[in-house]
Amino acid sequence: MNEVLSALGRSSSDPDAVLDTVVESAMNLCRAAAAQVYLIDGDHFVLSSSVGLSPEFVAHLAAHPLKRDRDSLVGRVTLDRRIGQVADVLDDPDYGRQDLQRIGGFRTLISAPMLLDDEVVGTLSLYRTEVEPFDERAIALLGAFAAQAAIVVRNVHLVLELEERGIELARRVEQLEALSEVGEAVSSSLVLDEVLSNIIMNAVRFTGCDGGSIMEYIAAERSFSVRSAYASSDELLSRLRGIRVDLETTLVGRAALEGHPIAVADLAAVELDPHLRILFDDGWRSVLAAPVLRGTRIIGALVVRRRTPGEFSDESIEFLETFASQSALAVWNARLYRELETKTAELQVVSQHKSEFLASMSHELRTPLNAVIGFSEVLLERMFGELNDRQDEYLRDILSSGRHLLQLLNDILDLSKVEAGQMELSISRFSARSAMEYSISMVRERAALHGLAITLDMETEIDGIESDELRFKQVLLNLLSNAVKFTPDGGHIAVTARREGDEMAVTVEDDGNGIAQEDRERIFESFQQGHRGAQSEEGTGLGLTLCRRIVALLGGRMWLESDLGVGSTFGFTVPMTVRARDEDSRATDEAHLPVIVVIDDDRASLDLMTAYLDGLGVRVVHARDGEEGIESVRATIPAAVLLDIRLPRLSGWEVLSRLREDEAVAAVPVIIVSILDERARGLALGASEYLIKPVSRDDLVDALRRAGAVGVAGPAPSADGIESARGETV
């Protein structure tokens, strides 16, 4: 806008120069590939000014001018007298100037009629070579530039009016940018009190008021409760929190019910409700209240106030309404997050009580169960006399049921230990082959009774591993027992062990009935067998659940592959070695790593940048605002700085300037990572690289390498790593 105004001031008698400035500015601000001004000449158009067009396009257009018809978008907007857009000219059956499309290669078109005194004098048009429709901001800017172009064509002496339009548009753009910054600030946290504090602080700041408060609506009580205040004394906040702000009888409630802001220019001239009375007694004289709504649902209310009476401008009212609407989602998300935290804490307590109950129950039942098993064995040994056949049969049933119940209690106790985080691993180095042969020997007799063959195929290079031998055998034995149980007589069970990187992968494959797709995840749940065999099949229903938890505890993952009628393969991995180091040695190692300081107030961006830097042999230091970022850089003298532009307290531009002025850190490479596309400004201020979000890992690593902060790029996360994480989550 300033460039256009400057051109008008320099070229009041040369409208062509001004139009050139208009089209160039329109193209740049709307991110277009080309821009043109067409003037009406009878029933066709003349190209008056353009930027981005090839000589071939201009020559063809001169030979075959656009007409005032609906074959072209330029013609349509002059007939419709409003801005028009074609998202993709190749999909528009009514678009008739495909000759121009083939030369210019454009896909998305937008045109605005140049209206002056309700008369169309021409059009201002833009195009993009990719299918990328122009957003509302670009449409608004195009309309403004079209109006300026019309003024230039009709009367270049109307510079003053053009300046006023420029100032207004600049103010609107500034306000939109301010809203965007505020939106990012209030959305950067899920802590409700922090979100509310950010909202009311920025509402007061941008409306030019002296103070304010934000209220949360309590639906059950049909009233509002003051949650946070800005520029208010502790006494006032205490008094506001001590009253009931009723929905039906207060100014705030009326604004919420009517769904729009309500202003009071002079509190001394109106009847005061309890809320307004407290404000008046504290010295406040004018109030503006806006509801915070999510659809038709009342979330809360924003109240800004001044010490002096006076009307609130339409701009302030409009801004507060927009800001309240924008803040509703952030407040709603924060409330949901608070409820989720509460539910999570409650579930943790319930889970703890459940684990304690299961452990207690298991121990209490062991004593009588041991007696049942022991006395059954004594009687079956005929120590007190002979038994008839029926007595022998019943005692064997009692012994079998007792042992089954004891196994169930053992599994429940182990599962409760895992869930409570109380299962302790006994790490030692043992022979993997011996452990697997032992597990196979435990089921070989049962397998032989059903004519099942069990084979072991193990890579010779696998020898000793570091893990918990008892738990390793427990997992493998459970999988083997299941394979024996669910494999038809005469079948085959194959056990294999392979080395995969730093892990050993073990699989148990059978040729049983297989498992249906819908049951493959369910069988890992407690007390589920997934309809694999007859309902009479014995089993606790906890074996696979416990196996998956133990494997995750050992640092591995577990999976299942199965086809109905063909068989099933259960597999798991365990690390070959355990990397155990004390915290002091780890801290010593990390102290020698190069440091990357990431300055960004968005938690998700910090996590993403940290994930990208994982595996590069660097130590990552986080900073959530500009001041903290500068302190971190001075304290660590990092290998590089990743800097966002939109930051609290200090903007990224100010941070970059201060770092370049500080001799101690002036040589540290600064890589800007921002949603703002201001590469030229960043490089001019001394940035080494300029990346525009969203940024890929490869782009970030390449930028760090070019800046000399890292050597070669680290490997991307592997599929194995992803699967492992998934196993641990389950």
Side-chain angles (χ1 to χ4, degrees):
M1 298 298 293
N2 287 332
E3 290 175 6
V4 173
L5 295 176
S6 298
L8 283 172
R10 294 191 308 267
S11 308
S12 59
S13 60
D14 186 3
D16 290 338
V18 184
L19 288 178
D20 290 342
T21 303
V22 169
V23 294
E24 184 173 359
S25 299
M27 183 187 72
N28 291 335
L29 289 178
C30 298
R31 297 187 298 106
Q36 315 98 48
V37 167
Y38 296 96
L39 301 181
I40 294 176
D41 185 8
D43 62 349
H44 64 276
F45 295 89
V46 175
L47 181 64
S48 176
S49 180
S50 66
V51 62
L53 299 182
S54 66
E56 181 185 2
F57 189 102
V58 175
H60 185 81
L61 191 61
H64 306 86
L66 298 172
K67 297 181 179 180
R68 295 192 66 185
D69 54 27
R70 306 196 72 82
D71 281 350
S72 67
L73 183 61
V74 172
R76 293 178 198 175
V77 299
T78 59
L79 297 174
D80 297 336
R81 306 172 68 82
R82 64 174 181 269
I83 296 176
Q85 179 171 196
V86 176
D88 188 354
V89 294
L90 298 184
D91 288 338
D92 186 353
D94 297 327
Y95 189 80
R97 293 306 303 267
Q98 299 297 338
D99 55 330
L100 293 176
Q101 193 281 329
R102 285 189 292 271
I103 297 173
F106 52 80
R107 297 294 295 274
T108 297
L109 292 176
I110 187 170
S111 293
M114 293 160 48
L115 295 169
L116 190 65
D117 296 333
D118 205 36
E119 178 186 358
V120 180
V121 297
T123 66
L124 175 58
S125 301
L126 308 174
Y127 72 66
R128 290 174 175 166
T129 56
E130 301 289 339
V131 178
E132 185 182 359
F134 292 85
D135 58 20
E136 293 298 327
R137 175 179 178 275
I139 293 172
L141 287 171
L142 183 64
F145 281 120
Q148 295 164 11
I151 294 172
V152 172
V153 172
R154 179 62 64 86
N155 191 346
V156 295
H157 299 292
L158 298 178
V159 177
L160 181 59
E161 180 179 344
L162 183 60
E163 289 178 346
E164 292 175 354
R165 288 173 181 266
I167 294 172
E168 173 65 17
L169 182 57
R171 184 183 61 79
R172 290 292 185 182
V173 171
E174 182 181 357
Q175 189 178 81
L176 288 175
E177 290 179 347
L179 279 172
S180 176
E181 292 177 3
V182 170
E184 290 179 5
V186 301
S187 300
S188 63
S189 173
L190 287 174
V191 180
L192 184 58
D193 288 336
E194 186 176 333
V195 170
L196 297 178
S197 178
N198 271 330
I199 289 174
I200 190 57
M201 177 184 68
N202 286 288
V204 171
R205 179 161 61 100
F206 284 107
T207 54
C209 293
D210 303 316
S213 56
I214 186 167
M215 302 181 179
E216 183 180 11
Y217 180 63
I218 313 299
E221 301 177 3
R222 294 183 65 80
S223 65
F224 296 85
S225 172
V226 176
R227 288 296 304 268
S228 183
Y230 180 71
S232 303
S233 64
D234 292 339
E235 180 183 356
L236 174 60
L237 182 58
S238 177
R239 293 181 62 193
L240 290 174
R241 287 176 172 172
I243 64 168
R244 174 188 174 93
V245 182
D246 191 74
L247 178 65
E248 280 80 13
T249 60
T250 62
L251 175 76
V252 171
R254 185 156 62 91
L257 291 173
E258 295 180 6
H260 61 78
I262 297 178
V264 177
D266 189 355
L267 290 177
V270 299
E271 184 178 349
L272 302 176
D273 60 45
H275 170 239
L276 297 181
R277 170 59 63 184
I278 291 177
L279 296 180
F280 184 79
D281 292 343
D282 197 62
W284 302 92
R285 290 299 175 262
S286 53
V287 168
L288 174 60
V292 179
L293 306 174
R294 188 171 187 266
T296 58
R297 185 168 186 168
I298 302 173
I299 305 298
L302 276 175
V303 179
V304 293
R305 49 188 187 265
R306 297 185 305 217
R307 293 286 185 184
T308 57
E311 296 289 344
F312 289 87
S313 66
D314 292 339
E315 178 185 350
S316 295
I317 296 174
E318 180 185 351
F319 174 85
L320 192 64
E321 183 175 22
T322 303
F323 185 42
S325 175
Q326 180 176 314
S327 303
L329 182 59
V331 175
W332 180 257
N333 288 340
R335 286 175 61 175
L336 290 179
Y337 181 71
R338 181 182 62 181
E339 294 173 5
L340 180 61
E341 283 188 320
T342 302
K343 293 295 183 184
T344 301
E346 292 174 352
L347 288 175
Q348 288 176 345
V349 172
V350 171
S351 178
Q352 179 69 20
H353 289 332
K354 181 201 72 174
S355 297
E356 292 174 355
F357 167 75
L358 290 176
S360 175
M361 180 195 71
S362 299
H363 286 299
E364 291 297 329
L365 290 178
R366 278 177 182 276
T367 300
L369 191 57
N370 283 334
V372 171
I373 294 173
F375 286 132
S376 298
E377 291 175 340
V378 168
L379 291 175
L380 285 172
E381 291 176 2
R382 274 66 171 179
M383 295 182 64
F384 300 103
E386 287 296 322
L387 303 173
N388 60 42
D389 291 342
R390 179 163 294 184
Q391 289 172 332
D392 184 276
E393 178 185 354
Y394 287 171
L395 277 173
R396 292 187 184 279
D397 287 343
I398 293 172
L399 179 60
S400 176
S401 298
R403 287 173 174 170
H404 177 71
L405 183 56
L406 180 60
Q407 181 61 44
L408 176 61
L409 292 176
N410 287 336
D411 287 348
I412 289 176
L413 184 59
D414 282 345
L415 190 59
S416 67
K417 285 181 179 179
V418 173
E419 290 182 343
Q422 296 175 350
M423 176 172 281
E424 297 182 359
L425 298 178
S426 178
I427 304 298
S428 63
R429 188 167 186 83
F430 61 92
S431 169
R433 178 176 291 277
S434 297
M436 297 179 73
E437 290 175 347
Y438 169 82
S439 300
I440 293 173
S441 69
M442 295 296 292
V443 298
R444 195 180 298 280
E445 182 178 351
R446 252 190 306 156
L449 293 176
H450 297 280
L452 303 178
I454 303 178
T455 59
L456 172 62
D457 179 13
M458 187 172 183
E459 289 184 349
T460 56
E461 63 183 49
I462 299 178
D463 188 13
I465 65 172
E466 290 182 12
S467 189
D468 188 316
E469 183 177 4
L470 177 62
R471 298 304 176 188
F472 177 84
K473 290 178 179 178
Q474 181 180 356
V475 172
L476 182 56
L477 183 58
N478 189 283
L479 297 181
L480 286 168
S481 298
N482 283 346
V484 170
K485 185 188 306 180
F486 295 109
T487 301
D489 292 355
H492 176 254
I493 299 170
V495 182
T496 62
R498 297 283 184 269
R499 180 163 189 157
E500 296 181 355
D502 295 333
E503 294 181 323
M504 181 177 72
V506 180
T507 59
V508 178
E509 180 181 1
D510 63 60
D511 50 11
N513 294 328
I515 301 169
Q517 179 68 38
E518 61 271 17
D519 290 329
R520 291 180 191 175
E521 188 61 32
R522 191 163 64 89
I523 64 171
F524 287 100
E525 299 175 4
S526 301
F527 307 108
Q528 299 290 338
Q529 292 185 349
H531 308 295
R532 299 178 64 193
Q535 293 295 325
S536 60
E537 293 283 6
E538 290 186 2
T540 66
L542 290 174
L544 290 176
T545 305
L546 186 58
C547 284
R548 176 176 272 188
R549 303 286 179 87
I550 291 176
V551 168
L553 198 62
L554 293 174
R557 58 189 175 91
M558 193 169 189
W559 69 91
L560 164 64
E561 299 172 356
S562 182
D563 292 315
L564 282 176
V566 178
S568 303
T569 300
F570 286 85
F572 67 95
T573 62
V574 290
M576 297 283 289
T577 59
V578 177
R579 299 178 181 86
R581 298 189 301 168
D582 58 76
E583 294 299 324
D584 291 338
S585 64
R586 185 179 294 110
T588 301
D589 290 346
E590 290 183 352
H592 296 292
L593 296 177
V595 175
I596 304 293
V597 174
V598 183
I599 309 175
D600 198 316
D601 65 326
D602 180 68
R603 185 177 304 167
S605 294
L606 286 174
D607 293 342
L608 181 62
M609 292 298 107
T610 303
Y612 282 173
L613 296 171
D614 186 29
L616 295 180
V618 299
R619 181 163 59 94
V620 182
V621 175
H622 294 166
R624 296 294 295 272
D625 61 55
E627 292 283 2
E628 182 183 353
I630 292 175
E631 294 175 3
S632 298
V633 173
R634 289 171 175 168
T636 60
I637 313 297
V641 176
L642 302 181
L643 175 64
D644 191 17
I645 295 301
R646 293 182 171 178
L647 297 171
R649 300 174 67 183
L650 281 182
S651 72
W653 302 124
E654 182 66 18
V655 172
L656 180 58
S657 297
R658 291 196 186 181
L659 293 179
R660 288 295 169 256
E661 293 169 0
D662 189 338
E663 294 182 358
V665 295
V668 174
V670 176
I671 299 173
I672 294 178
V673 185
S674 174
I675 62 173
L676 296 178
D677 187 359
E678 297 191 31
R679 176 183 177 84
R681 181 180 179 184
L683 298 179
L685 289 175
S688 301
E689 299 280 342
Y690 199 107
L691 304 178
I692 301 174
K693 295 179 180 179
V695 176
S696 69
R697 182 179 188 271
D698 290 341
D699 289 341
L700 181 66
V701 173
D702 288 342
L704 288 169
R705 192 187 309 133
R706 288 192 298 269
V710 297
V712 296
S718 67
D720 289 343
I722 295 172
E723 290 294 331
S724 177
R726 185 179 300 126
E728 292 174 4
T729 302
V730 174

